[in-house]
């Protein structure tokens, strides 16, 4: 891992902290911050493919932790299905992540270039995934909390109705990370 980039990751997480603390409970923000930081760490895993797998597991785990904080219970299959719905929306960011991962095959400069390229993207993707998920949960609660299928439907609605907002959330998170 490139220790020189860690201060940038810390600053990005602190920026997220200031932005979100007023709107979300501290425990939820802490969970998102932790997973955004872990996404940056995953970007520096030197094995191509393992880094993307770590990002996927990280986001899925973030959803589970958010559910626990909000006392929402779903089966593992339902959580994977929800994660897949969000991942499909974030495909363009995941494509950049895949390119960064592929660059790591080149010793030295490929690892550094891949890690740099992936850091902001994985950070932004994690924040974007959290935004989609939390927005869907709010809509799901407003509709009366049905089954997990209803939450998946809310996620699909959030994704289809907020494409520009999602892009803005991800891009803002990337900018905050790069500062």
């Amino acid at each position: 891992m490139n220790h020189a980039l860690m201060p940038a990751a810390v600053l990005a997480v602190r920026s997220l902290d200031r932005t979100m603390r007023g709107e979300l409970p501290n425990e939820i923000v802490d969970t998102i911050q932790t997973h955004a930081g872990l996404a940056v760490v995953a970007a520096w895993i030197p094995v191509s493919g393992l880094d993307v797998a770590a990002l996927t597991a990280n986001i899925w785990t973030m959803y589970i932790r958010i559910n626990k904080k909000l006392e929402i219970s779903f089966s593992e299959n339902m959580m994977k299905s929800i994660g897949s719905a969000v991942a499909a929306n974030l495909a363009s960011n995941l494509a950049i992540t895949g390119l960064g991962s592929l660059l790591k095959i080149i010793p030295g400069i490929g690892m550094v270039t891949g890690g740099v390229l992936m850091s902001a993207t994985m950070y932004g993707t994690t924040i974007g995934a959290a935004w989609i998920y939390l927005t869907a949960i709010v809509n799901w609660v407003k509709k009366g909390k049905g089954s997990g299928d209803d939450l998946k439907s809310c996620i699909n609605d959030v994704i289809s109705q907020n494409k520009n907002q999602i892009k803005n959330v991800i891009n803002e998170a990337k900018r905050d990370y790069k500062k």
Side-chain angles (χ1 to χ4, degrees), residues 16-154:
L16 170 67
D17 182 45
R18 287 188 298 273
T19 303
M20 298 180 86
R21 287 275 175 211
E23 297 179 22
L24 295 171
N26 286 340
E27 292 177 15
I28 301 295
V29 176
D30 291 344
T31 299
I32 295 167
Q33 287 178 325
T34 297
H35 287 276
L38 289 171
V40 173
V41 171
W44 291 94
I45 294 173
V47 179
S48 182
L50 186 57
D51 45 12
V52 176
L55 172 66
T56 303
N58 180 49
I59 290 174
W60 190 66
T61 304
M62 177 178 67
Y63 295 154
I64 292 170
R65 290 185 65 206
I66 288 171
N67 283 1
K68 286 181 181 177
K69 302 273 185 215
L70 297 175
E71 299 179 3
I72 299 171
S73 177
F74 288 124
S75 72
E76 185 174 316
N77 286 337
M78 180 51 64
M79 288 309 300
K80 286 181 181 177
S81 175
I82 288 168
S84 296
V86 175
N89 177 259
L90 300 173
S92 63
N93 287 307
L94 295 176
I96 294 168
T97 300
L99 174 63
S101 183
L102 189 60
L103 287 170
K104 291 180 182 179
I105 294 172
I106 304 167
I109 191 75
M111 172 58 197
V112 172
T113 304
V116 168
L117 179 63
M118 291 177 73
S119 291
T121 301
M122 289 174 82
Y123 180 87
T125 298
T126 303
I127 300 300
W131 186 89
I132 291 168
Y133 193 63
L134 290 171
T135 302
I137 287 174
V138 167
N139 293 344
W140 182 63
V141 169
K142 285 179 184 177
K143 289 181 178 181
K145 274 181 155 182
S147 68
D149 289 330
D150 293 338
L151 177 56
K152 187 175 177 187
S153 173
C154 287

